[in-house]
Amino acid sequence: MELSTLLPFLANVIVGGLVLGFVYAIIALGYTMVYGVLQLINFAHSEVFVTGAVVGFEVFRVLAPVNMNGYLKLLIALLAAMTISGLLNVIIERLAYRPLRGAPKLVPLITAIGVSLILQDVLRVIEGFQGRFDLTYTLPTGFSSAFCGPESSCAPLGKFLTGIGVSLQLKDVILIVVSLLSLAVLNYIVNRTRMGKAIRAVAQDRVTAGLMGIDGNRMISATFLIGGALGGISGVLFGMKFGTVNAYSGFIPGVTAFTAAVLGGIGSIPGAVLGGLLLGVLEKLIGVSNVFGELLGIKNLAVIDDSYSKLGAFIALVLILIFKPTGLLGKSNVEKV
């Protein structure tokens, strides 16, 4: 591969990794929000995310024959997924986690895994009754077309990306925009609203926050609602990006997003975003290792193809836990006895 073709190739890989990283980042925020308040790893979040993906599929399927603006269909899908996934997360907290709040930490962790398995089978049964297993998204016309063609009028950034050989579909740009808007709204809620301040107070010291008149249970439910809504958004974005989802689609993205949260610092919102973007790029780079192997003449590297792309997340998780368990932006918590 010549230099003139290598640079556009690398640019496409990195941009594609950033697009994928935004999906991981939004999923990771669901993990980090709950952990920041309850010190609980909600492994059922991967199924909350898949529920959002299924809801998005159903909305697009029902609205496919309707003569309606594609962006309006997307908005309806996002709102429906946010609502159902958010409420599902609140129900999980109320029924499965709240009764175990005083139990040893291992008990709610095992419960979270059990809830995850239950939700997988519930989703499989619901879609199975309709004769469906793999759900293929029916996207509005134009969402899969090129974002910025050589003769089309687009933003300066789009022209720049096209000029260096980066090809993006419209759905990729939508994914980035929706992710950035979600992050902006989350940042505003957490840092600029009374509810956000109350959530942070409960996360810091639940007992003292209660003495100040803050309803801890209500703020914890609000945290699960926000985390579930983010899971619903990420589910729709995941379905748009990859096209097909099923009841078991949440495991690998969920583990990768959890790794992203740990990489950035579990409990840190900026850390979850940073971890997601880094893992997205890492995954894409590992997926094209065979190209680098051919360029460098390393035969062993040349056999690594896209099927090994998830390897980076698991290697990163092990290295993080060994060398920096608090993550890149995380802070160590000292428990007083």
Side-chain angles (χ1 to χ4, degrees):
M1 183 179 293
E2 298 179 356
L3 183 62
S4 58
T5 56
L6 178 61
L7 292 180
F9 174 77
L10 286 176
N12 273 290
V13 170
I14 293 174
V15 172
L18 292 175
V19 172
L20 180 61
F22 274 114
V23 177
Y24 291 150
I26 301 298
I27 304 173
L29 286 172
Y31 285 106
T32 207
M33 285 283 294
V34 171
Y35 186 86
V37 174
L38 278 182
Q39 307 295 299
L40 167 70
I41 300 173
N42 180 21
F43 281 118
H45 184 67
S46 57
E47 274 56 57
V48 172
F49 141 75
V50 171
T51 300
V54 173
V55 171
F57 161 80
E58 293 292 349
V59 171
F60 281 124
R61 181 182 66 84
V62 171
L63 296 180
V66 179
N67 185 17
M68 182 187 297
N69 184 279
Y71 295 105
L72 183 56
K73 292 181 180 180
L74 173 62
L75 179 60
I76 295 173
L78 288 172
L79 291 176
M82 289 171 62
T83 302
I84 293 178
S85 294
L87 292 177
L88 175 62
N89 220 24
V90 171
I91 293 172
I92 291 172
E93 187 276 329
R94 183 64 185 85
L95 298 181
Y97 299 151
R98 189 176 298 183
L100 302 174
R101 202 168 287 169
K105 291 184 177 181
L106 186 61
V107 176
L109 181 65
I110 295 174
T111 302
I113 296 174
V115 171
S116 174
L117 296 174
I118 291 172
L119 290 177
Q120 282 183 4
D121 285 337
V122 169
L123 287 172
R124 182 174 64 87
V125 169
I126 291 174
E127 292 299 327
F129 280 149
Q130 304 177 61
R132 293 192 294 264
F133 181 75
D134 290 321
L135 312 177
T136 302
Y137 266 54
T138 306
L139 295 179
T141 304
F143 274 31
S144 297
S145 60
F147 166 60
C148 189
E151 298 180 356
S152 62
S153 58
C154 54
L157 178 60
K159 292 181 179 179
F160 170 75
L161 292 174
T162 303
I164 62 175
V166 175
S167 59
L168 282 176
Q169 293 180 317
L170 179 59
K171 64 182 180 181
D172 295 326
V173 179
I174 292 173
L175 189 153
I176 294 173
V177 172
V178 172
S179 298
L180 291 176
L181 288 175
S182 302
L183 294 173
V185 171
L186 177 64
N187 181 69
Y188 176 79
I189 291 175
V190 171
N191 295 307
R192 301 293 182 183
T193 65
R194 292 183 63 184
M195 182 177 70
K197 293 177 182 178
I199 290 174
R200 286 186 285 127
V202 171
Q204 186 172 4
D205 191 325
R206 195 186 313 161
V207 175
T208 304
L211 295 175
M212 299 297 290
I214 298 174
D215 188 337
N217 287 333
R218 186 178 178 183
M219 290 305 104
I220 290 172
S221 294
T223 302
F224 272 82
L225 179 65
I226 295 171
L230 290 169
I233 293 173
S234 60
V236 175
L237 297 181
F238 180 87
M240 289 176 56
K241 175 65 178 174
F242 294 98
T244 302
V245 297
N246 59 52
Y248 304 103
S249 295
F251 177 72
I252 295 298
V255 172
T256 306
F258 170 69
T259 304
V262 175
L263 172 61
I266 190 86
S268 167
I269 292 176
V273 177
L274 176 62
L277 295 177
L278 288 177
L279 282 187
V281 174
L282 178 62
E283 182 175 317
K284 286 293 184 180
L285 288 174
I286 291 179
V288 296
S289 295
N290 55 339
V291 177
F292 296 113
E294 293 174 1
L295 287 173
L296 300 175
I298 304 176
K299 295 182 179 179
N300 292 335
L301 192 61
V303 300
I304 300 178
D305 55 19
D306 188 58
S307 62
Y308 292 89
S309 60
K310 301 296 181 183
L311 184 64
F314 298 103
I315 294 178
L317 178 60
V318 173
L319 293 178
I320 295 160
L321 293 176
I322 293 175
F323 296 106
K324 199 175 188 336
T326 58
L328 298 176
L329 302 181
K331 298 178 181 179
S332 57
N333 294 324
V334 179
E335 295 186 4
K336 298 181 180 180
V337 180

